[in-house]
Amino acid sequence: MAEFTTAETLQLLREGTLEMEGLISWGSNYTFLTRACHEMGQLQAVYKPRKGERPLWDFAPGTLCLRERAAFLVSEALQWKLVPATVLRDGPHGWGSVQRFVEHDPDDHYFTFQGQYETQLQRVVLFDILVNNADRKGGHVLLDKSGRLWSIDHGICFHADYKLRSVIWDFAGKPISDSMRNDLKRFQRRLENPNDQMLQQLCELLNEREIEALHRRLQTLCEETVFPQPGPGRHYPWPPV
């Protein structure tokens, strides 16, 4: 399969014809494996239609797909490229998110490679704190064939209230590297610029309280020198994988 740049991948996901390949049955929301076909090529993608989202008491209905796109924007702005290319568009089952599918061994997940890929996992941890990820299961961290980690399933992120639940607490109390702190501070400068295109897009995806909470979490992270300890209440998702 041809290799595409991020810009080409986004164009292909936005403009390509989506051919349904099957239902991904292990998710709590309707999720489909598709193939995006375009004159420049084709690739597999994960399609999550808005009308297939299961109602949640603490997240506004119809917003999970918006949060998938917001997570991608934050990942790109940090230049960490943790989240596969993600767009919002109409599809065979209506409007929703479409994300590049990462080829991986489903038997490999966080618990099978725990203790490896330290730098990449530390970025995942900081990213989850920043976006307030309420569901970082072990199976939501994928290892591709090149040895690169990807984080997926960000539909329940960015809540204004503390919701962080993760299986990755290996680094609590350990120092945050200067390079990662610099990345966070660079992102903070962008988030404080009202003319920044990334911020303008986030404001279309998240409500005002959620944007304000993102600012607060980022400020706290920029002041931290070590990885935070687990917060109050239940801090692990269920099931863990």
Side-chain angles (χ1 to χ4, degrees), residues 59-117:
F59 284 84
T63 66
L64 274 60
C65 57
L66 305 182
R67 299 169 196 280
E68 295 275 8
R69 170 67 177 173
F72 168 71
L73 293 176
V74 171
S75 168
E76 290 295 292
L78 285 165
Q79 299 181 15
W80 289 353
K81 296 189 177 296
L82 296 171
V83 180
T86 308
V87 303
L88 295 168
R89 59 165 289 179
D90 197 24
H93 293 288
W95 197 78
S97 66
V98 179
Q99 183 176 89
R100 180 178 66 82
F101 176 76
V102 176
E103 293 188 24
H104 65 286
D105 183 343
D107 291 328
D108 282 338
H109 49 74
Y110 165 71
F111 293 108
T112 67
F113 51 73
Q114 190 174 7
Q116 306 175 66
Y117 310 106

Side-chain angles (χ1 to χ4, degrees), residues 4-130:
F4 301 103
T5 66
T6 300
E8 289 170 339
T9 300
L10 291 169
Q11 181 182 357
L12 201 157
L13 294 175
R14 280 194 305 266
E15 301 176 3
T17 300
L18 295 184
E19 298 181 354
M20 303 293 286
E21 295 194 341
L23 177 68
I24 299 176
S25 59
W26 56 83
S28 56
N29 302 297
Y30 279 96
T31 303
F32 299 91
L33 182 63
T34 67
R35 185 170 298 274
C37 300
H38 192 274
E39 61 183 12
M40 72 171 66
Q42 56 182 277
L43 52 76
Q44 284 186 306
V46 176
Y47 165 48
K48 297 182 178 181
R50 170 183 266 176
K51 67 181 180 181
E53 295 178 1
R54 178 171 58 89
L56 300 171
W57 69 269
D58 51 350
F59 284 84
T63 66
L64 274 60
C65 57
L66 305 182
R67 299 169 196 280
E68 295 275 8
R69 170 67 177 173
F72 168 71
L73 293 176
V74 171
S75 168
E76 290 295 292
L78 285 165
Q79 299 181 15
W80 289 353
K81 296 189 177 296
L82 296 171
V83 180
T86 308
V87 303
L88 295 168
R89 59 165 289 179
D90 197 24
H93 293 288
W95 197 78
S97 66
V98 179
Q99 183 176 89
R100 180 178 66 82
F101 176 76
V102 176
E103 293 188 24
H104 65 286
D105 183 343
D107 291 328
D108 282 338
H109 49 74
Y110 165 71
F111 293 108
T112 67
F113 51 73
Q114 190 174 7
Q116 306 175 66
Y117 310 106
E118 180 174 291
T119 299
Q120 294 186 67
L121 283 172
Q122 287 183 347
R123 290 194 182 104
V124 172
V125 169
L126 293 174
F127 178 79
D128 285 343
I129 296 169
L130 180 58

